[in-house]
Amino acid sequence: MKRCVQKMISKVPVWIFLPVFLLVFLPVSVPAAETASGAGTVPAGERFDRGLIAIRTPEGVFTSWRMLPKDDAEAVFTLLRDGRPIASLDARHGTNYLDPEGNGESVYSVRCGEEVSPEVNVWTDGSLTLTLDLPEEQTMPDGSVCRYRPNDMTCADLDGDGRLELVVKWDPSNSHDNAHDGSTGTTIFDAYTLDGKKLWRVDLGVNVRSGAHYSPFLVCDLDGNGRAELLCKTADGTIDGLGRILGDPKADYRRENGRILDGPEFLTVFDGLTGAALCTVDYPAPRTVRRMDKSREGWGDDYGNRCDRFLACAASLDGKRTSAVFCRGYYTAAYVMAFDFDGQMLKLRWFHRSETPGEGLYGEGNHSLAVGDLDGDGKDEIVFGAAALDDDGTVLYRTGLGHGDALHLFADGEDEKLRVFAVHEMKSADYGMEVRSAEGKVLWGIRSGFDVGRGMAADIDPDSPGHEVWSSASNGVWSLDGKKLSDRRPSQNFRIYWDGDLQDELFDRGCVESWKNGRLEDFGKRKGAAAINGTKSNPNLQADFLGDWREEIILSDAQDPARIHIFSTTIPTSCRVNCLLTDHVYRMAVVWQNTGYNQPPHLGRPLFKMVRDPEVEKREMRKEK
């Protein structure tokens, strides 16, 4: 594998260290970091251990661990097997090592300076399989029965030990899109350690309908205590992790057609360690549009299709702490609310209303959103489909291009500026796919005249600098400045870092493929793993939550609904890159990844500018002096 200095490398930002007291009880911490395109922090108080993993391969045991912003670029990592040093890796090596003498009984740890990570066991079958606590079947009012499978997931540190845990959303077999009638099973959330220990279960109860658009969930550290919380919309009958019931336990607002259009709605913060409900407030966004126009109920329908479309994200709206943002509606009216949590109280920071056609966010929303510092003021803005909100909840821009299914926010090029790539459903002469600046100026696009359902932005071509874009209407691949590069159209599902070079690979239907080198992995054939969300074919979760900077994939088991499989690459790389979760835009993207139509996370700095190279760092430090 050739050295990772094949591309340009730029200066590493100045890292602002966390207070010293955090280091007393955790050997490894991630300091708040200035980034070129984010508000400058990972979620308040969040910190990571080494994330060491060991995976058995035919050639030996492949080990991989995190590099952190606090590490010197020339840091030497010593890998230990069974307590004895077996390799010393300096700046010429990445943070991974293939141990040809290792076996399934070996245990590994890694040392950097005086810090030694906890020992880990080997994933003996090439991946980590966890058996979850499968919820029981549920019987609907009409006598039908639903069963459960693991659906969207996220990762966060729930207990403050520097290791990440998983939060799983269970999907009932009768979950529904908002456009369809029918009763559904309840929405259930579980938390698990990576050892497979179940921490808690939260059941939203019969008064929250199940489906892709009803229950986006946030898991992040809002109060800065080093432990993440779970936030989601709740109702009468929600059961927290301690078995306590919120509101009226006997209330049942389900109509005969299965829809829920009555009854109180809440927003609840649950403790990440116990699942206990810490704070519950009324959900401020109403089911009815305040400005009643001539359309049906102001939403364009009267059966809950548009009013029950929900989105959520986390954002650093003041450049210091992390706030929770929840949204209602995007086809027509749109309500967006920002909340702060201080450990006890959940307080409304601002409440944006777009209720007038042709103004603000009205009709501009997507099935997802994105978060980053769009205007360079050190605070996050929210890309709400074809429009954006400023950090104070006012409209930053409106393009007028309307609703779409796919949305990508990413940094590209030497200037490190954020770009937006989106596709649209408008069937007029407006753009079917377009690239715009962070400030909302459409740079170029392609008019399709029909609904464009999929689109992707990723750096897949090593012969063309920066990102490429394509869509289900593009019949090819374009450079970010609008030059057509190929007539061949790749997958439009997820981008992923997997093979160790500085290009993206692509994930779709259980497979990882390289634009130039073809298929690299087939998890279905290898392990009987399956993607989720039907034709969307998403992973349960994609994020850099273990090992070095390449990303992990979680997939369900195709046969056993109680099992999930965690996959991590075993391809060596000499690139040294900080854990991607320390990039603010990427971290926020992992938080909102489960929202609506899942979208892959992107970086807030180009990857080649995140490579840790000691010579470049020394040169840039001399320039600053």
Side-chain angles (χ1 to χ4, degrees):
M1 181 68 74
K2 59 184 177 182
R3 285 285 295 153
C4 202
V5 294
Q6 62 207 31
K7 281 199 174 184
M8 294 174 291
I9 304 171
S10 185
K11 66 180 181 180
V12 175
V14 179
W15 301 98
I16 306 169
F17 289 91
L18 283 172
V20 174
F21 72 87
L22 289 176
L23 300 176
V24 172
F25 60 91
L26 275 177
V28 179
S29 64
V30 174
E34 290 186 8
T35 65
S37 51
T41 62
V42 295
E46 189 168 47
R47 49 201 176 270
F48 306 107
D49 69 2
R50 285 292 167 200
L52 174 65
I53 54 176
I55 307 171
R56 188 168 67 180
T57 74
E59 294 78 28
V61 174
F62 181 84
T63 60
S64 175
W65 58 92
R66 293 185 181 115
M67 187 153 196
L68 299 170
K70 75 180 188 68
D71 295 328
D72 189 280
E74 294 181 311
V76 175
F77 294 94
T78 301
L79 184 67
L80 298 91
R81 183 204 322 125
D82 302 326
R84 296 184 177 182
I86 60 170
S88 183
L89 306 169
D90 59 20
R92 296 172 297 173
H93 303 85
T95 54
N96 57 84
Y97 181 77
L98 178 63
D99 175 18
E101 304 300 323
N103 58 58
E105 303 300 319
S106 303
V107 294
Y108 291 87
S109 59
V110 65
R111 182 173 65 218
C112 183
E114 299 299 317
E115 167 207 316
V116 181
S117 73
E119 290 185 331
V120 299
N121 296 317
V122 176
W123 298 0
T124 55
D125 61 354
S127 64
L128 178 63
T129 298
L130 301 181
T131 300
L132 310 181
D133 181 13
L134 182 67
E136 294 182 357
E137 299 175 354
Q138 292 185 5
T139 302
M140 300 298 100
D142 63 3
S144 62
V145 173
C146 72
R147 299 170 178 82
Y148 282 86
R149 292 193 65 86
N151 192 249
D152 294 331
M153 300 183 186
T154 194
C155 59
D157 186 358
L158 301 179
D159 55 13
D161 66 354
R163 299 184 67 196
L164 300 181
E165 284 74 44
L166 299 176
V167 174
V168 181
K169 175 187 174 186
W170 290 96
D171 189 41
S173 55
N174 58 1
S175 63
H176 279 294
D177 185 271
N178 301 55
H180 305 146
D181 290 346
S183 295
T184 73
T186 62
T187 301
I188 296 172
F189 295 104
D190 283 354
Y192 296 89
T193 69
L194 290 176
D195 298 321
K197 177 184 176 182
K198 179 182 170 184
L199 298 178
W200 46 258
R201 170 165 290 175
V202 169
D203 189 326
L204 298 189
V206 299
N207 295 308
V208 176
R209 203 166 185 242
S210 291
H213 306 292
Y214 290 103
S215 296
F217 58 101
L218 303 182
V219 183
C220 57
D221 183 9
L222 294 175
D223 58 5
N225 68 349
R227 297 192 293 109
E229 296 81 36
L230 164 69
L231 288 83
C232 62
K233 182 172 168 288
T234 57
D236 283 336
T238 292
I239 306 172
D240 78 357
L242 301 181
R244 302 177 302 189
I245 300 176
L246 275 62
D248 182 356
K250 298 181 180 180
D252 188 343
Y253 298 103
R254 292 175 293 181
R255 297 187 177 185
E256 187 175 348
N257 62 3
R259 296 184 179 275
I260 303 165
L261 301 177
D262 307 289
E265 299 174 288
F266 311 130
L267 185 65
T268 300
V269 182
F270 297 92
D271 184 79
L273 184 59
T274 66
L278 299 177
C279 179
T280 297
V281 298
D282 290 335
Y283 197 79
R287 286 190 175 103
T288 56
V289 178
R290 186 176 61 179
R291 180 189 181 278
M292 300 298 289
D293 56 23
K294 295 182 180 179
S295 63
R296 300 164 69 189
E297 300 298 323
W299 288 102
D301 65 69
D302 58 3
Y303 58 95
N305 180 19
R306 291 171 172 83
C307 78
D308 276 359
R309 300 274 178 165
F310 297 97
L311 303 170
C313 64
S316 183
L317 300 173
D318 60 4
K320 299 176 182 178
R321 61 180 300 159
T322 303
S323 300
V325 179
F326 284 83
C327 318
R328 179 174 219 148
Y330 44 74
Y331 285 129
T332 54
Y335 298 114
V336 183
M337 305 148 288
F339 297 87
D340 294 329
F341 180 63
D342 63 5
Q344 295 182 324
M345 300 297 295
L346 191 63
K347 298 179 180 179
L348 185 66
R349 185 182 187 92
W350 46 254
F351 186 0
H352 173 91
R353 298 172 174 86
S354 284
E355 301 166 313
T356 304
E359 297 181 4
L361 306 183
Y362 193 99
E364 297 286 88
N366 275 32
H367 290 296
S368 64
L369 37 62
V371 174
D373 181 3
L374 303 180
D375 56 10
D377 65 355
K379 304 174 185 178
D380 277 337
E381 282 74 45
I382 300 160
V383 183
F384 192 81
L389 284 183
D390 208 342
D391 56 84
D392 61 359
T394 60
V395 176
L396 183 68
Y397 69 77
R398 171 189 173 89
T399 66
L401 294 174
H403 168 74
D405 286 359
L407 175 72
H408 303 274
L409 175 72
F410 55 93
D412 192 87
E414 282 295 323
D415 59 10
E416 303 187 33
K417 289 184 178 179
L418 291 174
R419 304 286 193 274
V420 176
F421 175 68
V423 300
H424 300 280
E425 285 190 1
M426 303 303 290
K427 299 179 182 179
S428 66
D430 291 326
Y431 294 114
M433 58 177 268
E434 45 93 12
V435 174
R436 78 184 88 123
S437 68
E439 298 80 15
K441 179 183 178 182
V442 177
L443 304 176
W444 67 275
I446 296 176
R447 290 175 167 84
S448 64
F450 58 88
D451 180 345
V452 180
R454 303 286 177 90
M456 177 55 58
D459 183 5
I460 59 171
D461 189 347
D463 300 321
S464 175
H467 279 59
E468 290 76 45
V469 296
W470 61 97
S471 77
S472 55
S474 67
N475 293 319
V477 173
W478 274 258
S479 65
L480 207 59
D481 59 3
K483 178 183 177 182
K484 191 170 186 179
L485 302 175
S486 173
D487 291 325
R488 181 164 63 97
R489 185 178 66 198
S491 162
Q492 303 134 58
N493 193 356
F494 264 49
R495 52 130 312 272
I496 185 173
Y497 294 122
W498 190 262
D499 68 4
D501 60 24
L502 296 181
Q503 271 68 54
D504 292 277
E505 285 69 55
L506 300 172
F507 171 85
D508 194 4
R509 302 183 186 279
C511 298
V512 175
E513 294 189 349
S514 165
W515 170 244
K516 293 293 185 180
N517 301 319
R519 183 161 295 180
L520 303 175
E521 295 279 358
D522 186 334
F523 301 123
K525 289 184 177 180
R526 175 175 146 191
K527 203 63 182 291
I532 60 170
N533 294 330
T535 60
K536 304 298 183 293
S537 192
N538 306 129
N540 298 76
L541 175 66
Q542 176 190 309
D544 175 24
F545 64 90
L546 286 171
D548 65 21
W549 57 274
R550 274 82 61 79
E551 295 169 280
E552 281 64 52
I553 284 278
I554 300 181
L555 297 174
S556 302
D557 190 278
Q559 301 299 321
D560 185 350
R563 299 205 305 172
I564 60 171
H565 304 289
I566 302 175
F567 299 96
S568 187
T569 186
T570 57
I571 301 174
T573 179
S574 58
C575 301
R576 281 191 169 191
V577 180
N578 289 337
C579 171
L580 302 189
L581 289 177
T582 63
D583 177 271
H584 179 72
V585 171
Y586 184 92
R587 185 67 185 98
M588 295 297 96
V590 171
V591 174
W592 58 248
Q593 185 180 136
N594 67 79
T595 295
Y597 291 170
N598 306 37
Q599 301 290 292
H602 292 275
L603 289 166
R605 300 185 69 208
L607 181 62
F608 73 88
K609 293 212 169 190
M610 296 176 63
V611 175
R612 301 291 297 275
D613 185 279
E615 294 305 317
V616 172
E617 289 194 10
K618 289 176 182 178
R619 184 167 65 249
E620 295 301 330
M621 289 178 64
R622 288 195 294 269
K623 286 182 182 179
E624 291 177 0
K625 292 179 180 179

